[in-house]
Amino acid sequence: EDGGLNARELSKMGKGALGTGGYKTRDFEHKDGPEPHKARKMEILKKYPQMKKLMGPEPLTKYTVAASVAFQVCAAIGTRDWSWPYFLAFIYIVGATINHSLFLAIHELSHNLGFKSVKANKLLSMLANLPIGIPYCITFKPYHMEHHRYQGDDGVDTDIPTEIEGWLVTRTATCYLDHTLRKTVYMFCQIFAYAFRPMLVKPELVPKDGWIVLNWAVQVAFDATLLYYFGVNSMLYLLLSTFFAGSIHPTAGHFLAEHYVVEGKTETYSYYGPLNYLAYNVGYHNEHHDFPNIAWRNLPKVREIAPEYYNDLPQCKSWPGMIVQYIFDDRLGPFSRVKRDHVE
């Protein structure tokens, strides 16, 4: 894969999110007006009404989820007595890749794209949640729906790093090396930001119903069973798979690639490379935000039907390359996101 953006695209980088001033003055890329996806969706539907035929659940999802969960359970049991070097290498290469795929299966199911029934989607998401080790699938949905409805809205879209993250990583940095090291640590531990930021920014969105109770009950019962019958290392396999899946891992580059401003103005980027095969085509991110009710297998068809709307948009060429660029390009950091004032 090619890394990052090409030289011509890099030369167009501007101020704001790609700040060229001192670290203390860095800020988000502030924009007025609505997010771009709703208007583009309406325009595409008017021109290509056949796009509606792509909408709806994907039957294959339940089988890919079941296979991934079965593999991870078997791997957790089968590797528990391996020596540490082989154990950790297998976790990083295989376990983290599969758990990241399960993150994105839960993302699909939050859009009700596994079944027509909301209940069935929630139950399947609980199955997908099992190898992740920590119950989160029910909590994830309301925050992700807000991200789609109010992309970039200050205090509403919890996908955007907080001011404190920007302060810790960028505004208090003293030099390029310091900034680079802070970004490396931030990337290594970014899963904690994604896990805790939504609940800290908007705690009122945490569900308070029987579904979250069931999510926790099922997950705790699964974890306890695994620990009781197969020991600590079986559970450690799953938890480390989850940690590395959200850390400096090739598939985790999509966290940056989707909405971090690396081109100077665009706030959503698509990636069309081979890692999509492991990630439910989440790289087709402009297409997904334009049509969140189109399941993963049909997202490439959106671009095929309406190429003039996507082919000329700035693209991410490589998820691993995006991680490298984020860490070593001094202009990038937590502030490299579009933010707009929230309007009800």
Side-chain angles (χ1 to χ4, degrees):
E1 292 183 342
D2 298 326
L5 298 167
N6 61 40
R8 180 180 63 83
E9 290 168 321
L10 284 171
S11 70
K12 295 191 297 182
M13 288 180 171
K15 297 182 180 179
L18 291 162
T20 55
Y23 297 120
K24 291 182 180 179
T25 62
R26 297 286 177 91
D27 197 3
F28 293 98
E29 181 76 21
H30 291 277
K31 281 189 176 181
D32 297 321
E35 53 81 22
H37 300 288
K38 184 176 180 180
R40 186 163 60 219
K41 174 182 180 177
M42 301 308 295
E43 188 175 331
I44 292 174
L45 282 175
K46 186 175 180 180
K47 188 173 182 180
Y48 299 107
Q50 66 267 38
M51 204 72 76
K52 294 179 181 179
K53 295 180 181 179
L54 302 179
M55 298 175 183
E58 170 51 56
L60 185 61
T61 301
K62 56 183 174 290
Y63 301 113
T64 57
V65 167
S68 297
V69 171
F71 181 92
Q72 282 294 77
V73 172
C74 291
I77 297 168
T79 63
R80 67 190 189 278
D81 295 323
W82 287 15
S83 64
W84 279 100
Y86 291 107
F87 184 62
L88 292 174
F90 188 84
I91 287 172
Y92 184 83
I93 296 168
V94 180
T97 302
I98 295 176
N99 268 18
H100 200 98
S101 179
L102 288 169
F103 291 167
L104 296 168
I106 290 170
H107 165 256
E108 280 286 302
L109 296 166
S110 74
H111 288 281
N112 296 322
L113 292 174
F115 300 95
K116 292 181 179 179
S117 160
V118 173
K119 178 180 178 181
N121 281 288
K122 288 182 176 180
L123 291 173
L124 184 59
S125 71
M126 289 184 202
L127 176 65
N129 200 151
L130 293 180
I132 292 166
I134 300 165
Y136 87 98
C137 65
I138 299 301
T139 306
F140 172 76
K141 180 171 181 173
Y143 290 102
H144 188 65
M145 295 302 101
E146 293 280 273
H147 167 60
H148 273 269
R149 292 189 194 101
Y150 306 111
Q151 179 181 310
D153 282 21
D154 190 16
V156 180
D157 181 1
T158 58
D159 190 63
I160 300 173
T162 59
E163 288 278 350
I164 189 66
E165 291 169 71
W167 183 83
L168 287 170
V169 176
T170 297
R171 283 192 182 146
T172 53
T174 58
C175 62
Y176 170 76
L177 180 59
D178 184 24
H179 195 215
T180 300
L181 290 174
R182 290 178 188 225
K183 287 191 288 180
T184 303
V185 173
Y186 181 74
M187 282 301 303
F188 189 68
C189 301
Q190 70 169 334
I191 192 167
F192 296 114
Y194 275 92
F196 295 113
R197 184 197 303 139
M199 294 179 288
L200 293 174
V201 173
K202 293 200 73 177
E204 67 273 16
L205 275 188
V206 175
K208 301 172 183 67
D209 57 17
W211 284 108
I212 195 167
V213 174
L214 183 60
N215 187 194
W216 274 84
V218 168
Q219 190 67 53
V220 170
F222 172 82
D223 293 352
T225 301
L226 201 65
L227 276 168
Y228 181 80
Y229 286 104
F230 302 105
V232 173
N233 277 8
S234 62
M235 196 65 220
L236 193 61
Y237 170 87
L238 296 180
L239 292 176
L240 286 175
S241 292
T242 296
F243 174 76
F244 286 127
S247 183
I248 298 178
H249 188 274
T251 56
H254 86 85
F255 289 128
L256 298 172
E258 291 168 356
H259 297 293
Y260 274 75
V261 180
V262 294
E263 175 269 341
K265 58 183 178 180
T266 305
E267 58 186 287
T268 305
Y269 299 78
S270 287
Y271 157 79
Y272 299 121
L275 290 177
N276 277 304
Y277 291 111
L278 304 173
Y280 289 87
N281 282 333
V282 76
Y284 288 78
H285 215 65
N286 269 299
E287 293 84 346
H288 168 63
H289 268 264
D290 290 353
F291 297 98
N293 52 350
I294 293 181
W296 59 278
R297 281 188 76 189
N298 283 333
L299 284 176
K301 296 176 184 177
V302 173
R303 186 186 178 207
E304 291 172 9
I305 292 171
E308 69 273 25
Y309 288 93
Y310 300 106
N311 288 350
D312 293 332
L313 294 176
Q315 301 168 13
C316 174
K317 303 299 182 184
S318 167
W319 284 345
M322 185 65 239
I323 294 174
V324 172
Q325 183 180 344
Y326 179 81
I327 291 173
F328 291 102
D329 187 335
D330 202 35
R331 294 167 293 186
L332 298 177
F335 289 121
S336 302
R337 291 292 299 265
V338 166
K339 184 181 277 192
R340 50 175 56 85
D341 291 333
H342 177 60
V343 179
E344 291 288 352

